[in-house]
């Protein structure tokens, strides 16, 4: 029974890998971006407990799944429920290039124009990945990876499906 968590910087390919694994292994797919934010301007995070309740309901409803996102505070509590993790640890410049070329994500944005209007902020945020000290940082993701005791994979480049397994 596959229960996979994928994490890393924005633009690292988490969603692409999750979609691939979901189709290949017939897994239910949860993108944490769809439940982590309130519909406010400017955007603000939902209370952690509310997001975790939604994730727990998803896990309870689906025996096999892939969950992906950059939220260490949402991922850490569910690591005991998964048996495999993927850390998308691509170079920051690759993540920026991926973000600039990403197709419209209708589950996140009302239009391609709305998505593109957010691009400068996203690129600036991606660029800070190595130096930030928050739940979205490389430091937080590395800690998740280091402490996980199940099957784990580290991607240092886009997965045209080369991995470094640990």
């Amino acid at each position: 029974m596959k229960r996979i968590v994928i994490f890393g910087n924005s633009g690292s390919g988490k969603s692409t890998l999750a979609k691939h694994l979901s189709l290949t292994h017939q897994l239910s797919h949860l993108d944490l971006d769809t439940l982590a934010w309130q519909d406010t301007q400017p955007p603000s995070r939902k209370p952690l407990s509310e997001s975790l309740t939604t994730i727990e309901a998803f896990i309870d409803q689906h025996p096999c799944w892939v969950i992906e996102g950059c939220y260490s505070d949402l991922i850490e509590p569910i690591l005991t429920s998964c048996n495999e993790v993927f850390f998308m640890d691509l170079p920051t410049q690759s993540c920026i290039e991926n973000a600039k070329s990403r197709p419209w994500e209708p589950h996140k944005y009302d239009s391609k124009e709305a998505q593109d209007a957010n691009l400068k902020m996203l690129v600036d945020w991606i660029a800070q990945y190595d130096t930030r000290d928050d739940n979205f940082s490389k430091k937080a993701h590395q800690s998740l990876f280091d402490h996980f005791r199940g099957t784990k994979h580290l991607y240092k480049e886009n997965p045209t499906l080369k991995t470094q397994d640990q």
Side-chain angles (χ1 to χ4, degrees), residues 29-37 46 54 68 71 107-108:
H29 174 200
L30 178 61
D31 177 345
L32 295 178
D33 284 340
T34 64
L35 61 85
W37 296 94
K46 286 183 182 175
T54 304
E68 49 102 353
Y71 309 88
H107 63 290
K108 296 180 188 177

Side-chain angles (χ1 to χ4, degrees), residues 130-150:
D130 292 332
T131 58
R132 281 195 318 264
D133 192 23
D134 59 18
N135 287 313
F136 312 101
S137 68
K138 180 173 181 168
K139 178 181 174 183
H141 294 155
Q142 187 67 56
S143 180
L144 291 174
F145 186 76
D146 291 345
H147 291 96
F148 184 71
R149 296 294 167 233

Side-chain angles (χ1 to χ4, degrees), residues 39-91:
D39 189 16
T40 59
Q41 287 302 327
S44 60
R45 287 281 305 272
K46 286 183 182 175
L48 186 61
S49 60
E50 185 179 329
S51 295
L52 288 171
T53 297
T54 304
I55 296 167
E56 290 167 10
F58 174 85
I59 288 172
D60 289 345
Q61 292 171 0
H62 304 283
C64 300
W65 43 261
V66 57
I67 297 174
E68 49 102 353
C70 60
Y71 309 88
S72 294
D73 57 349
L74 296 178
I75 292 169
E76 193 274 329
I78 63 170
L79 286 180
T80 57
S81 299
C82 81
N83 50 29
E84 191 168 2
V85 300
F86 290 77
F87 177 16
M88 308 299 288
D89 188 23
L90 279 67

